[in-house]
Each structure stands twice: as structure tokens, then as C-alpha cells.
């Protein structure tokens, strides 16, 4: 049996408000910030591997990894909380669990080297960029096969980018992130193994964004012809594993809802080791669907799970037993994810003429003083101490702490200040009755609902503390953990929510990947979601849109 490997991540607690007055500030001047931050991502590890090489054997262009040779065979068991994947359609996935399950079966043109942060070829054998930074030419590896034996070539790449993504099939976040000054890049099929992308202007994030999984044209062409609704239901979680046509290191062989997902190695994968043997090393990769964090811990202790991301609250007990157990704890530093408290600023109506957010609450939530009061009332340090035993960091920025774009000035944040918080409320006419209950200037009692996903015990604990912190302001918070899919539906579709605790993953190397969150019409612009591309864009939202557009066109890191 595989020896348990225990990964310890320092959880970042970002419980500031999504919207603060300090969205802009001066960037630190240190020229070496990029190198320093990337180095910090792999601190305490001596990874000095050469870049992968291209090796042609019997007409097949393999990608040869230079990582030290490992041992073939065995099974690795990991876990996920919640109900499991909602789809295996990588191009329609809108949640992290579904994306991770789908993407393990598919590769993109390029990938990011996890040790250096550099973009490297994957399905592409090589690529070149024109001197003006507008044209990208990719040579696709020859001899690649889909799992059904059909050739994988540039026609699949052209179809993926020129039909699925350009025409808005599935999750449109990818299309939105590729827009340059509002225009989608031109895609040209040069020949069966050559593809060209042409952007309107030099676009700094473009190369890294081309890691999108490539779809098999011979499967998806007829699916797209049947329309977007059919596409959205294609390769759902009910699909037979044998129906999938894949290109990645693993293939789905079994999915039991609410129990497990099982992948087996793809014997025709094109990545090889320095002995020219095909990877991956593992025969089988299993993901157990464990429901909640407590159940995940129990399964690890019972030896049912091999690898685990440990929350700060559990660090002391596991560290105490490490020398007597068969696991090892690794401190990998802060995650690239954020946990945050967000407020629904929506002032629009649904198709039945009903406001998504009650009118009196719209006034509170869109009041900068009200939001600032909540920001200063939240006790981040107590959360870290009480919930994670100090194994966490507070966050005051849009970027996670490992980001090479982190603004160190904003990241310093502030202490809890209940007096200042009350003063902000007074500026907007709020007052308190003799019992300490807060009222607005129109004599409305200040009370709202706070959601998070049930089973995520850390977020639930944060919710309890926010409820207590805001009680000190006289605000009544009705805290309601609900099932994850129901919460996502509220945040992205029905929009009938007031406040929420959520988390998002991010890249430490490319903030443009968060455009779908911050752009005024982005599909994950949770705090002011627009379902129909409404044009009622606030001044500061327009400013953020402009910042993202200009930032993407700036090629100099400094």
C-alpha cells in the first residue's frame, strides 16, 4: 500500500469585503519581485529540473520530462468534499471540482511549469511569437492519438478555439478572458499540424491562456450543431465512461455519485520519462467523494485516503502524532486561493419585475460607509487564532499572498476597529436603539442573511464569527449554510442572496485569469452579477474594466 503523503497548506483567510476603497495603489518598485515570489512558491525544495525535451520515436513527437525517474504502478487515492462533479465536459464546467475531474483527461497547447512559472509546450511541439507580439504560431506534435484511435491534430485545435470557445458554447469565461480590446483573436488553420492566432494588440496573458483543453472535433462537431443546450448536457456526470474520447494522462473508468471517481492510466499518453517509457507512473487514480471536511479527516485516519490538504485547525493534533505515524507533513506556504465575504450590490429586477435584493438593503449594501464599517468590524486575527490555530494569514487584497503581483502596501491591512466602524455608520445616518440594535436613517432594522456552503467547516466557522462580530455593530445576521450547488445557483443564476462566504482559486502568475470575476459583465462578477449584459455599469466597475484592459496590453512586468 502506498505510504500516506500528507500535504499541509496554510489557509488564507480573506474575510474582507470584496469591494473596498483601496482597489488601486502603487506597485512595489523592486525589480526582482517576480523572481523572489516565484522562488517562494517552491521554498524548502531543491527542484532544479531542466525543461522538458521533444523526442521523436517511430514518427511520434513525445514530450520527455526531465524529472527524476519514478516507480511505475500503484494507486493514489485523494478526496473531494461536496457532492462530486456535475459534469465531465471540461468546456462547460463552472466549478472547481468538475474542472479538476474533466481536465485530468485532456491537455491543452501549453502548460505552466510548476517549478519555474514559465509557459511550456504540451500538445504543441513548439511555438513562436512574432516580433510585434500579435501573431502566435503553434506546431502540433505529430503522431498523437485520441483514446479512440483517431488522429489528434491542428484541426481539433482550430475547432476548439474557433467554434466551442469563440461561439460561446459551455462556460463563456474562457472566451471573455481571450478578448483583446473587446475582440476575439483570429484563428487560422495553416495545415494539419500548424495553427496561428492573431491578436488585435500585443496581449501579455495570451500565451498562458492557451492552456485550455483541446476537444476532439470528430465528437463535438455534431454536438455543437445541435445547439448550446444540447452541448451543456453532453458528457454529463451520467455519461458512460466508455463514451469519453480523451487525450490526457488518465481515462475515466468509473463514477459512482456521492462515492468515488476512478481513473486509469492512458497507455497511449505522449509524455515519457528519460528512459523513454510512457507516463503516467500510476496505474490508477481515485477521488473519494467524502461529503464534508470532518468525514475527509476520518477517512484519512482510517487509511482510506493517501493525500490531504490539512486545515489549520487540525495542524497541532496531526503534527503531534507525525513521528508515530506513517504520514509526513509538508508546509507549502499560503495557497493561491482566497476565502472572502461578499455583498450583493445588485439593484436590478428579475424578469418578473421583482428586485433581486430588497430595496432598503440595496441602499445599505451600496453605501461605501456601510461596507467599510463591516470591513473594520471583522476580526480577522481572532478567526485565524480560533479557527486555524494561527496557521493562516489575513488577506486584504484581490490577489492571494503568493501572487507575484501582490501589492505589499495594501496587503498589510488593518486591525479590527469597532469605534471606527461605528463612526462610518454614523456618517450615513445609522443609529442604535436602547438595546444596541442598528437602524438606518429610514428607521429600518438592519438585518440580513449570510450564506455559505454546508460541510465546509472552516467557512461555517468563519460565518459564525462574522455573525458575532457584526452583532457588536448591532447588525442581526441570519447565518445559513446550504448545499453547495444551491449556493452556486443563487450566486450565478437566481441572484436571490444578500451576503455570502465563498472561495475562489487563482493564479500567482497571471491576474488576468480573474477577469471573469472583476469585469463588470463577467460570469463570476458575483457582487454585481449581470445576467443579460446590462449596461448599468458603476463608475468604479468601469474603472476596473479599464485597468484590466490596459494591464493585459502591458508587456513589461514592472
Amino acid at each position: 500500500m502506498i505510504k500516506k503523503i500528507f500535504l499541509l497548506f496554510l489557509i488564507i483567510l480573506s474575510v474582507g469585503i470584496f469591494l473596498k476603497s483601496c482597489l488601486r495603489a502603487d506597485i512595489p518598485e523592486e525589480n526582482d519581485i517576480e523572481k523572489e515570489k516565484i522562488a517562494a512558491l517552491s521554498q524548502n525544495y531543491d527542484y532544479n529540473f531542466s525543461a522538458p525535451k521533444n523526442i521523436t520515436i517511430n514518427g511520434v513527437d513525445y514530450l520527455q520530462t526531465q524529472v527524476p525517474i519514478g516507480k511505475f504502478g500503484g494507486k493514489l487515492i485523494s478526496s473531494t468534499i461536496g457532492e462530486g462533479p456535475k459534469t465531465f465536459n471540461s468546456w462547460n464546467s463552472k466549478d472547481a471540482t468538475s474542472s479538476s475531474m474533466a481536465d485530468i483527461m485532456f491537455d491543452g497547447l501549453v502548460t505552466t511549469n510548476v517549478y519555474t512559472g514559465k509557459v511550456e509546450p504540451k500538445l504543441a511541439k513548439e511555438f513562436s511569437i512574432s516580433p510585434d507580439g500579435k501573431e502566435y504560431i503553434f506546431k502540433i506534435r505529430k503522431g498523437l492519438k485520441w483514446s479512440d484511435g483517431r488522429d489528434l491534430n491542428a484541426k481539433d485545435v482550430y475547432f476548439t478555439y474557433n467554434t466551442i470557445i469563440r461561439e460561446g458554447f459551455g462556460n463563456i469565461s474562457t472566451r471573455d478572458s481571450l478578448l483583446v480590446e473587446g475582440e476575439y483573436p483570429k484563428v487560422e488553420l495553416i495545415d494539419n499540424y500548424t495553427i496561428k492566432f492573431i491578436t488585435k494588440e500585443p496581449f501579455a496573458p495570451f500565451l498562458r491562456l492557451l492552456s485550455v483543453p483541446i476537444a476532439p472535433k470528430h465528437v463535438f462537431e455534431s454536438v455543437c450543431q445541435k445547439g448550446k443546450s444540447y452541448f451543456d448536457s453532453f458528457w454529463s456526470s451520467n455519461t458512460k465512461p466508455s463514451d469519453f474520447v480523451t487525450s490526457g494522462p488518465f481515462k475515466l473508468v468509473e463514477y459512482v455519485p456521492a462515492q468515488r471517481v476512478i481513473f486509469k492510466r492512458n497507455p497511449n499518453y505522449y509524455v515519457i520519462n528519460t528512459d523513454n517509457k510512457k507516463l503516467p507512473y500510476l496505474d490508477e487514480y481515485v477521488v473519494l467523494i467524502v461529503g464534508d471536511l470532518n468525514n475527509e479527516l476520518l477517512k484519512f485516519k482510517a487509511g482510506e485516503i493517501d493525500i490531504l490538504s490539512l486545515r489549520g485547525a487540525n495542524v497541532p493534533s496531526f503534527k503531534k502524532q507525525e513521528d508515530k505515524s506513517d504520514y509526513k507533513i509538508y508546509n507549502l506556504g499560503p495557497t493561491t486561493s482566497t476565502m472572502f465575504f461578499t455583498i450583493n450590490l445588485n439593484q436590478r429586477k428579475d424578469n418578473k419585475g421583482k428586485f433581486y435584493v430588497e430595496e432598503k438593503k440595496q441602499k445599505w449594501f451600496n453605501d461605501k460607509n456601510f461596507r467599510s464599517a463591516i470591513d473594520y468590524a471583522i476580526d480577522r486575527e481572532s478567526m485565524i487564532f480560533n479557527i486555524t490555530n494561527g496557521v493562516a494569514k489575513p488577506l486584504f487584497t484581490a490577489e492571494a499572498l503568493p501572487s507575484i503581483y501582490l501589492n505589499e502596501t495594501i496587503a498589510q491591512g488593518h486591525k479590527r476597529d469597532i469605534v471606527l466602524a461605528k463612526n462610518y455608520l454614523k456618517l450615513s445616518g445609522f443609529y442604535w436603539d436602547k438595546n444596541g440594535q442598528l437602524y438606518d436613517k429610514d428607521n429600518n432594522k438592519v438585518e440580513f442573511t449570510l450564506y455559505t456552503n454546508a460541510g465546509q467547516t472552516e467557512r461555517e466557522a468563519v460565518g459564525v464569527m462574522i455573525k458575532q462580530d457584526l452583532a457588536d455593530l448591532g447588525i442581526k445576521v441570519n447565518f445559513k449554510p446550504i448545499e453547495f450547488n444551491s449556493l452556486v445557483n443563487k450566486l450565478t443564476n437566481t441572484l436571490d442572496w444578500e451576503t455570502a462566504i465563498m472561495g475562489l482559486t487563482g493564479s500567482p502568475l497571471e491576474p488576468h485569469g480573474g477577469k471573469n470575476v472583476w469585469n463588470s459583465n463577467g460570469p463570476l462578477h458575483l457582487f454585481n452579477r449581470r445576467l443579460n449584459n446590462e449596461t448599468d455599469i458603476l463608475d468604479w466597475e468601469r474603472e476596473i474594466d479599464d485597468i484590466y484592459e490596459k494591464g493585459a496590453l502591458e508587456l513589461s512586468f514592472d
Side-chain angles (χ1 to χ4, degrees):
M1 179 177 178
I2 291 179
K3 181 179 177 64
K4 296 178 188 173
I5 304 172
F6 200 91
L7 297 186
L8 165 62
F9 290 86
L10 300 188
I11 303 302
I12 297 175
L13 284 183
S14 173
V15 288
I17 299 173
F18 234 155
L19 306 173
K20 296 172 61 179
S21 60
C22 51
L23 285 171
R24 300 181 65 183
D26 296 332
I27 300 298
E29 297 179 355
E30 292 88 341
N31 291 330
D32 291 334
I33 185 173
E34 181 174 18
K35 293 179 181 179
E36 293 173 358
K37 292 290 184 177
I38 292 176
L41 295 179
S42 55
Q43 59 187 337
N44 303 325
Y45 296 89
D46 185 18
Y47 290 131
N48 190 25
F49 308 141
S50 301
K53 297 179 179 179
N54 294 316
I55 303 291
T56 302
I57 303 174
N58 297 326
V60 179
D61 293 328
Y62 289 101
L63 178 65
Q64 186 186 66
T65 176
Q66 301 304 298
V67 174
I69 291 176
K71 182 180 179 180
F72 281 93
K75 172 172 64 176
L76 181 69
I77 304 176
S78 67
S79 57
T80 184
I81 63 172
E83 295 188 335
K86 292 185 287 186
T87 182
F88 289 104
N89 183 340
S90 180
W91 303 272
N92 186 44
S93 173
K94 299 179 179 69
D95 65 278
T97 300
S98 296
S99 294
S100 65
M101 301 292 182
D103 291 355
I104 198 173
M105 297 188 286
F106 299 93
D107 280 347
L109 285 174
V110 298
T111 189
T112 296
N113 186 303
V114 296
Y115 308 122
T116 66
K118 295 180 179 179
V119 177
E120 295 177 342
K122 200 70 186 288
L123 288 177
K125 181 178 180 179
E126 59 188 39
F127 58 82
S128 60
I129 305 173
S130 63
D132 65 2
K134 297 181 182 180
E135 295 187 3
Y136 298 74
I137 297 178
F138 289 82
K139 295 287 187 180
I140 312 303
R141 298 179 187 280
K142 294 182 179 180
L144 299 185
K145 299 287 185 181
W146 291 102
S147 59
D148 62 357
R150 298 282 291 268
D151 287 345
L152 192 166
N153 54 41
K155 294 180 180 178
D156 298 295
V157 180
Y158 181 81
F159 172 77
T160 299
Y161 282 96
N162 217 42
T163 298
I164 293 180
I165 299 175
R166 176 194 286 273
E167 296 181 13
F169 284 92
N171 188 347
I172 63 172
S173 295
T174 303
R175 182 190 65 186
D176 292 346
S177 66
L178 290 171
L179 297 178
V180 183
E181 294 191 339
E183 291 188 16
Y184 190 81
K186 295 179 181 179
V187 188
E188 296 181 2
L189 182 66
I190 306 302
D191 57 44
N192 279 352
Y193 296 97
T194 312
I195 195 94
K196 180 193 286 188
F197 297 87
I198 305 173
T199 60
K200 182 178 180 180
E201 297 291 342
F203 187 49
F206 188 70
L207 185 60
R208 198 178 302 277
L209 293 174
L210 295 179
S211 60
V212 178
I214 300 303
K217 177 187 176 184
H218 64 283
V219 173
F220 275 86
E221 189 169 35
S222 61
V223 174
C224 291
Q225 291 171 354
K226 294 179 181 179
K228 293 181 178 178
S229 294
Y230 184 81
F231 183 95
D232 290 348
S233 64
F234 189 68
W235 278 3
S236 71
S237 56
N238 296 319
T239 303
K240 292 188 301 182
S242 58
D243 289 348
F244 290 101
V245 177
T246 67
S247 64
F250 292 95
K251 301 188 299 181
L252 181 69
V253 293
E254 183 182 34
Y255 171 48
V256 181
Q259 293 187 38
R260 61 184 176 274
V261 186
I262 300 178
F263 299 92
K264 288 195 174 180
R265 73 188 301 270
N266 177 1
N268 294 317
Y269 195 46
Y270 61 94
V271 179
I272 58 177
N273 64 15
T274 51
D275 275 350
N276 295 337
K277 293 182 179 179
K278 294 181 181 179
L279 301 181
Y281 289 105
L282 290 171
D283 290 332
E284 191 169 280
Y285 175 54
V286 179
V287 182
L288 297 186
I289 301 168
V290 297
D292 59 38
L293 296 176
N294 288 329
N295 196 31
E296 186 177 52
L297 287 173
L298 291 174
K299 287 186 176 294
F300 181 83
K301 290 178 180 178
E304 298 178 38
I305 298 173
D306 298 316
I307 186 169
L308 184 70
S309 295
L310 183 64
R311 268 64 182 179
N314 303 112
V315 170
S317 61
F318 276 88
K319 188 65 178 175
K320 185 177 180 180
Q321 297 296 322
E322 183 179 16
D323 292 340
K324 305 174 185 177
S325 304
D326 62 346
Y327 58 75
K328 183 173 177 57
I329 298 175
Y330 296 89
N331 182 347
L332 302 184
T335 70
T336 59
S337 304
T338 59
M339 185 193 299
F340 54 86
F341 170 81
T342 184
I343 297 174
N344 192 350
L345 305 187
N346 202 315
Q347 300 181 70
R348 292 174 290 280
K349 296 179 180 179
D350 62 20
N351 54 16
K352 295 181 181 179
K354 179 182 177 182
F355 281 110
Y356 293 112
V357 178
E358 195 175 353
E359 288 183 85
K360 64 182 180 183
K361 297 180 182 180
Q362 291 178 26
K363 294 178 181 178
W364 308 339
F365 297 163
N366 283 275
D367 183 339
K368 183 178 175 182
N369 289 328
F370 182 83
R371 298 196 303 268
S372 295
I374 292 179
D375 181 26
Y376 276 93
I378 290 174
D379 192 344
R380 295 165 173 83
E381 292 184 355
S382 290
M383 290 178 182
I384 290 171
F385 179 78
N386 293 324
I387 299 173
T388 74
N389 288 299
V391 188
K393 295 286 186 180
L395 188 64
F396 296 86
T397 66
E399 294 298 309
L401 295 183
S403 173
I404 61 175
Y405 293 93
L406 182 71
N407 187 315
E408 301 287 356
T409 301
I410 298 177
Q412 294 175 7
H414 56 75
K415 302 285 186 180
R416 187 190 196 220
D417 191 331
I418 201 70
V419 174
L420 180 58
K422 289 184 175 182
N423 286 337
Y424 273 119
L425 292 172
K426 291 175 183 177
L427 289 173
S428 292
F430 289 88
Y431 68 93
W432 293 264
D433 67 10
K434 62 181 181 180
N435 297 316
Q437 171 64 49
L438 185 68
Y439 287 81
D440 66 16
K441 60 184 178 182
D442 297 318
N443 302 317
N444 295 304
K445 179 181 178 181
V446 179
E447 178 180 352
F448 56 77
T449 300
L450 171 62
Y451 290 110
T452 196
N453 51 307
Q456 224 289 7
T457 53
E458 203 164 59
R459 292 182 192 174
E460 290 180 343
V462 168
V464 170
M465 293 196 69
I466 287 179
K467 175 183 174 74
Q468 295 170 345
D469 287 343
L470 298 190
D472 291 341
L473 285 182
I475 297 174
K476 182 179 180 181
V477 176
N478 301 307
F479 181 44
K480 296 181 179 180
I482 60 175
E483 191 274 324
F484 180 69
N485 290 340
S486 298
L487 177 57
V488 171
N489 187 53
K490 283 181 175 293
L491 293 170
T492 60
N493 296 322
T494 64
L495 310 187
D496 57 336
W497 62 282
E498 295 170 357
T499 65
I501 299 167
M502 283 293 290
L504 290 173
T505 56
S507 167
L509 302 174
E510 186 44 68
H512 192 77
K515 183 181 178 182
N516 60 342
V517 176
W518 293 100
N519 184 266
S520 57
N521 276 307
L524 285 179
H525 193 67
L526 302 178
F527 50 85
N528 200 6
R529 177 91 159 93
R530 295 173 173 84
L531 296 177
N532 301 303
N533 293 322
E534 290 93 345
T535 58
D536 59 335
I537 300 173
L538 303 174
D539 289 343
W540 54 264
E541 288 182 300
R542 199 178 303 279
E543 185 177 5
I544 294 174
D545 289 350
D546 185 57
I547 289 171
Y548 261 91
E549 292 295 332
K550 290 180 178 178
L553 301 178
E554 178 55 67
L555 301 182
S556 166
F557 177 83
D558 291 335

